[in-house]
């Protein structure tokens, strides 16, 4: 089923391009909204719009937190492959449970014997570095190893603490990189 959706993604993306070009969109918000509208109504995967975003913006480095079955990873990797460049870095802590803000316990168990990202087709995995572990431990080290992040996708624990940690860590890295680009070390 995932392969069928991945093959359909490029057709849907081409429809987005036709609308973007016909309406003369140049504003990023208009473009992303168009991509989202096309993908959300024509595919059964709610995060397949990532395919359109990656195809349009052509990032070299994508970082995602949270993999689970790997649907979003598969769409990102498929778009990177179609673009002919890019790498996806993913962090996942499989079978973790956490308490949400409203007190409910959220759990995303994998099927018995399955690894995170098991739906990602084998032919797309060369562009993928999956690291297993707690995002609070892995993310800072990962950001020291990659030159920059062009696109960040949060889909790990949806708690205030984790989300704040991820966004602050990514923002700091981006700020440090932009400062270094303006004032490179001598």
């Amino acid at each position: 089923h995932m392969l069928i959706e991945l093959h359909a993604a490029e057709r849907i993306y081409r429809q987005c391009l036709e609308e973007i070009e016909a309406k003369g969109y140049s504003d990023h918000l208009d473009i992303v909204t168009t991509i989202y509208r096309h993908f959300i109504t024509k595919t059964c995967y709610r995060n397949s719009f990532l395919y359109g975003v990656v195809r349009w913006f052509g990032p070299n480095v994508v970082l995602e937190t949270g993999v689970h079955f790997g649907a979003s990873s598969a769409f990102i990797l498929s778009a990177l492959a179609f673009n002919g460049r890019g790498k996806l870095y993913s962090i996942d802590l499989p079978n973790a449970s956490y308490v949400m803000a409203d007190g409910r316990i959220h759990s995303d168990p994998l099927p018995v014997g399955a690894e995170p990202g098991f739906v990602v087709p084998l032919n797309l995995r060369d562009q993928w570095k999956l690291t297993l572990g707690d995002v609070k431990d892995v993310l800072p080290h990962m950001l020291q190893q990659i030159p920059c992040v062009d696109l960040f996708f949060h889909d790990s624990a949806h708690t205030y603490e984790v989300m704040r940690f991820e966004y602050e860590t990514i923002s700091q890295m981006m700020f440090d990189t932009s400062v270094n680009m303006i004032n490179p070390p001598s």
Side-chain angles (χ1 to χ4, degrees):
H1 190 262
M2 176 57 67
L3 290 174
I4 292 169
E5 292 291 327
L6 290 174
H7 283 86
E10 183 61 20
R11 179 181 44 78
I12 297 167
Y13 178 69
R14 298 260 177 219
Q15 293 170 351
C16 291
L17 284 182
E18 288 176 14
E19 181 179 335
I20 290 166
E21 290 171 3
K23 294 189 177 180
Y25 291 144
S26 60
D27 181 76
H28 290 316
L29 182 59
D30 290 335
I31 292 166
V32 171
T33 301
T34 301
I35 291 169
Y36 181 77
R37 190 170 21 82
H38 274 269
F39 276 90
I40 202 67
T41 61
K42 297 177 183 168
T43 175
C44 66
Y45 290 94
R46 65 175 170 77
N47 53 16
S48 64
F49 78 95
L50 289 167
Y51 180 91
V53 169
V54 171
R55 283 287 282 125
W56 178 266
F57 290 102
N60 288 313
V61 176
V62 179
L63 173 61
E64 78 171 331
T65 57
V67 173
H68 200 235
F69 285 21
S72 59
S73 306
F75 280 104
I76 292 168
L77 287 164
S78 183
L80 291 173
F82 213 100
N83 288 348
R85 69 174 201 279
K87 184 158 184 161
L88 172 62
Y89 294 85
S90 303
I91 302 170
D92 193 52
L93 184 60
N95 298 316
S97 296
Y98 58 91
V99 179
M100 297 175 55
D102 63 5
R104 291 181 296 142
I105 296 177
H106 180 82
S107 181
D108 283 326
L110 290 167
V112 175
E115 297 291 324
F118 70 90
V119 302
V120 175
L122 296 177
N123 66 322
L124 297 176
R125 293 179 182 222
D126 289 347
Q127 302 163 258
W128 190 26
K129 177 163 175 39
L130 171 61
T131 304
L132 301 181
D134 189 315
V135 72
K136 290 182 179 179
D137 298 326
V138 175
L139 184 59
H141 297 291
M142 185 177 283
L143 291 176
Q144 291 175 355
Q145 297 171 11
I146 55 179
C148 67
V149 175
D150 299 314
L151 177 67
F152 173 66
F153 177 57
H154 159 82
D155 198 22
S156 64
H158 302 293
T159 65
Y160 175 79
E161 293 79 17
V162 170
M163 292 172 69
R164 180 174 177 171
F165 171 79
E166 289 181 15
Y167 291 126
E168 285 181 350
T169 303
I170 292 292
S171 295
Q172 186 61 47
M173 177 267 208
M174 293 174 80
F175 175 76
D176 288 347
T177 301
S178 66
V179 168
N180 290 337
M181 289 172 62
I182 295 169
N183 302 309
S186 48

